[in-house]
Amino acid sequence: MKVEIEKLTIASARAGLRAREFSATELTEAAIAVMEAARPLNAMITETPERARAMAAESDRRLTRGEAGPLEGIPIAIKDLFCTDGVQTTAGSRILKGFIPPYESTVSANLWRAGAVMLGKANLDEFAMGSSNETSHFGRVENPWRRADGKPLVPGGSSGGSAAAVAAGFCLGATGTDTGGSIRQPASFTGIVGIKPTYGRCSRWGIVAFASSLDQAGPMTRTVRDAAIMLGAMASVDEKDSTSVDRPVPDYEAAMTGDVRGLRIGIPKEYRVDGMPAEIEALWRQGIDWLRSAGAEIVDVSLPHTGYALPAYYIVAPAEASSNLARYDGVRFGLRVPGNSLPDMYAKTRGEGFGAEVRRRILIGTYVLSAGYYDAYYVKAQQVRTLILRDFERAWERVDAILTPTAPSAAFGIGEKSDDPISMYLNDVFTVPVNLAGLPGISVPAGLSREGLPLGLQLIGRAFDEETLFRVGGVLEEAAGFSARPQTWWKG
Amino acid sequence: MSLDKATVARIARLARIEVPEEALAPMARELDTILTFVEQLGQVNTDGVAPMTSVTPMRLRMREDRVSDGGDAARVLSNAPEAQDGFFVVPKVVE
């Protein structure tokens, strides 16, 4: 039977597979066909159709035996930042081109154990550094959504390939990673759901490291329920990541009761930033009204250090990146550019192997960590981080979750912001504080801009209270009734 | 403050990234823009505030000190640009 994967969700595909309306093999063939037709988006760096077919056949055997896992037979894409055993893993960088990991990341291993089927590796900003997916060595990704003028738009970043893959409809979910907004901002730009879980909820082992105190993996899906199902499969404690948390993974799907009566939702006044488009402000008000109508109590809160989150982030993240990326030296894996001495080989390899944005961040990080500057920059930023966390802790005395816009704009045009790093960094103004404080945040598609582009709202929760985010997110999703889909212009 | 070319050359050397001479001045301007942006933090009073060392309250777990993996040189070397006799090969470092 011909399966229309674009019309399915993880939850509906799960039901269809278990009721034998279609097989995992049929679902995967549909996914591969749509993926191939969507190549103009450049969402994938590596397609793995043969592996997908083999995994789907295994899924069909398990379905027949009644041994189906929670994601049995569900085709997904993996951000090319997760190491996959025997499949090239590039981090979007020339320096890792051709790297074939001899091991599997814990998160992807968890997904395969749950029965998911790998379609391939999704494009991303180089080393996950970017907000537009324009810094990938393997080419930019185009957003499936377009304005009426038809100009190509960015899908957001850094998980831009994952977002485009889900929005284009060829996979039912994709993994992302989020260091400063890299799951939530692209989710908002492409009309899908993305959640960054609490720091420590998912293992970071086998994920190419960017900023270790901020990085966290999470799912990107079409619906809130799908995100709940997929996160349940991704999360685990892991002896190979000492910062992964040893607490049971809740039944996130069961948390979606549809009832938010009596919950207190905080509205932080500091998120009304200068120059925010009126339509973002209007959507935010709409979201407040929806939750109030559903019986939630709306409470004004203050997060006074919000404005200092981005500057603190642009010290902490580059500092950690400069240390993490020291391993790319042309000796053990990846690119080697010959030099006339060992230090010369290192410098040439790194000079040619890293792209402009990565070089810039490593140099910033090296500078702020160098002798004489460490206290003025790095220690200061970590102190500000403590203040940002305290702001949230004070808010949690009065509210159960916080509602904000996800991003200060809809998707912008390719090339529009690539010459101005600061204006690019401002994309993450609403998402970065959540990473600095280690909290969970979810982006839910809530409406369309005047130009017909998707806009998301963000919910922020207490540490390890993803359940409240799924509960409130489900109600928000229901009220918004977001059903718009991009025109499939790429099919020609 | 403003970064000069010599400072950029120094941090590029520390970071082991070759930056061509003609790229130093534009790089200095780019880095300077970012440093000016982050220097807003100077406005925040952080007297007596402890720098964050862990985003969530967690204690690192102890584990038994035992060998759990290894003896697999071929896989370790499988991605090496150059390897020989079970070793990584690098340019000569001792004259």
Side-chain angles (χ1 to χ4, degrees):
Chain A
M1 116 165 221
K2 173 112 174 68
V3 184
E4 289 184 282
I5 189 167
E6 300 100 314
K7 295 184 178 163
L8 294 174
T9 62
I10 291 177
S12 68
R14 178 179 63 182
L17 286 164
R18 292 189 183 177
R20 305 296 166 84
E21 288 165 26
F22 45 83
S23 67
T25 297
E26 287 166 330
L27 181 60
T28 291
E29 289 301 338
I32 292 168
V34 179
M35 173 167 72
E36 289 176 353
R39 280 180 190 155
L41 299 172
N42 199 30
M44 306 298 280
I45 291 176
T46 306
E47 296 178 358
T48 56
E50 288 318 312
R51 183 172 290 222
R53 289 187 175 105
M55 291 175 96
E58 284 293 322
S59 284
D60 278 328
R61 279 191 277 278
R62 283 192 293 270
L63 282 157
T64 306
R65 291 197 301 259
E67 295 167 0
L71 288 172
E72 200 64 64
I74 303 294
I76 61 170
I78 298 291
K79 185 179 185 179
D80 206 18
L81 201 64
F82 293 77
C83 288
T84 41
D85 197 349
V87 175
Q88 171 179 257
T89 299
T90 67
S93 182
R94 184 179 172 213
I95 212 162
L96 270 177
K97 193 171 183 175
F99 171 62
I100 298 180
Y103 53 85
E104 187 77 28
S105 82
T106 298
V107 161
S108 53
N110 288 347
L111 287 166
W112 311 143
R113 196 172 311 116
V117 168
M118 178 163 80
L119 286 173
K121 306 294 293 290
N123 207 340
L124 69 160
D125 278 300
E126 185 179 2
F127 283 104
M129 297 179 190
S131 305
S132 65
N133 217 127
E134 292 173 287
T135 70
S136 170
H137 173 68
F138 300 88
R140 57 170 180 67
V141 174
E142 185 167 347
N143 195 326
W145 293 79
R146 280 181 168 176
R147 295 187 288 238
D149 66 14
K151 275 203 223 131
L153 303 175
V154 305
S158 66
S159 312
S162 299
V166 175
F170 62 77
C171 57
L172 296 174
T175 62
T177 60
D178 190 316
T179 304
S182 283
I183 287 175
R184 293 160 287 158
Q185 182 254 21
S188 179
F189 278 17
T190 57
I192 66 169
V193 175
I195 180 167
K196 181 203 92 74
T198 311
Y199 184 81
R201 185 65 281 183
C202 291
S203 168
R204 291 179 296 108
W205 193 81
I207 301 174
V208 175
F210 163 13
S212 301
S213 77
L214 301 163
D215 297 344
Q216 188 57 202
M220 304 173 78
T221 56
R222 293 186 196 159
T223 67
V224 175
R225 180 170 302 278
D226 286 2
I229 297 168
M230 194 167 157
L231 179 60
M234 292 169 70
S236 71
V237 66
D238 180 8
E239 66 176 15
K240 287 181 276 195
D241 174 5
S242 59
T243 63
S244 67
V245 67
D246 189 7
R247 56 196 286 166
V249 180
D251 183 343
Y252 294 124
E253 209 182 346
M256 294 183 60
T257 58
D259 184 0
V260 295
R261 283 175 299 172
L263 271 185
R264 299 160 303 166
I265 305 296
I267 309 300
K269 63 171 194 266
E270 290 80 6
Y271 280 60
R272 290 205 178 81
V273 295
D274 291 343
M276 184 158 83
E279 60 188 2
I280 304 279
E281 172 97 34
L283 182 76
W284 193 12
R285 278 183 208 289
Q286 178 66 255
I288 294 169
D289 287 345
W290 284 328
L291 292 180
R292 189 187 284 119
S293 304
E297 183 191 341
I298 304 299
V299 181
D300 287 322
V301 294
S302 175
L303 302 168
H305 296 90
T306 299
Y308 298 107
L310 267 182
Y313 177 84
Y314 276 98
I315 292 172
V316 173
E320 294 184 9
S322 74
S323 170
N324 274 325
L325 272 60
R327 74 191 68 178
Y328 304 102
D329 57 5
V331 174
R332 290 155 298 162
F333 35 71
L335 180 76
R336 170 183 289 192
V337 178
N340 50 32
S341 67
L342 186 61
D344 190 46
M345 186 274 281
Y346 290 151
K348 285 195 159 65
T349 297
R350 293 163 62 78
E352 292 185 28
F354 292 133
E357 180 63 23
V358 175
R359 287 199 302 268
R360 188 151 55 214
R361 294 204 198 186
I362 292 175
L363 293 177
I364 286 284
T366 304
Y367 181 75
V368 300
L369 290 176
S370 63
Y373 296 103
Y374 181 82
D375 285 343
Y377 288 107
Y378 191 72
V379 173
K380 181 80 179 180
Q382 292 288 49
Q383 287 174 311
V384 170
R385 226 176 140 180
T386 298
L387 294 174
I388 288 167
L389 177 60
R390 278 187 201 163
D391 285 353
F392 280 109
E393 282 173 347
R394 228 162 264 144
W396 302 136
E397 292 167 11
R398 302 176 55 218
V399 298
D400 302 300
I402 290 171
L403 179 73
T404 77
T406 304
S409 74
F412 47 88
I414 286 171
E416 261 176 36
K417 299 192 180 189
S418 39
D419 293 336
D420 179 1
I422 302 290
S423 109
M424 186 68 87
Y425 297 171
L426 286 172
N427 265 291
D428 297 329
V429 62
F430 301 139
T431 48
V432 150
V434 178
N435 299 77
L436 290 172
L439 303 173
I442 189 169
S443 178
V444 178
L448 293 175
S449 72
R450 246 180 318 109
E451 297 178 303
L453 299 178
L455 297 170
L457 287 173
Q458 173 179 237
L459 289 158
I460 305 168
R462 294 187 177 96
F464 300 109
D465 189 16
E466 283 81 3
E467 287 162 287
T468 296
L469 297 189
F470 288 122
R471 181 175 160 199
V472 182
V475 167
L476 205 55
E477 177 182 53
E478 174 96 20
F482 185 90
S483 59
R485 298 297 293 267
Q487 304 284 326
T488 52
W489 50 265
W490 55 88
K491 288 185 178 166
Chain B
M1 68 158 307
S2 77
L3 281 188
D4 54 22
K5 277 167 54 175
T7 308
V8 176
R10 184 176 64 84
I11 57 176
R13 187 169 41 79
L14 288 172
R16 298 274 189 254
I17 292 179
E18 188 173 81
V19 179
E21 169 65 27
E22 67 276 13
L24 288 174
M27 182 67 87
R29 280 193 299 276
E30 284 173 24
L31 299 186
D32 213 45
T33 308
I34 298 168
L35 288 172
T36 305
F37 175 70
V38 302
E39 276 163 15
Q40 293 174 59
L41 293 189
Q43 302 161 9
V44 187
N45 181 356
T46 51
D47 293 347
V49 176
M52 182 182 278
T53 50
S54 173
V55 276
T56 50
M58 54 172 65
R59 196 179 304 161
L60 294 183
R61 294 179 289 276
M62 301 297 279
R63 60 168 170 77
E64 198 190 333
D65 184 15
R66 62 179 167 83
V67 176
S68 59
D69 202 356
D72 210 348
R75 275 168 79 222
V76 171
L77 291 169
S78 64
N79 281 285
E82 196 180 347
Q84 197 185 315
D85 303 331
F87 293 96
F88 294 105
V89 176
V90 297
K92 191 173 176 182
V93 286
V94 181
E95 289 304 325

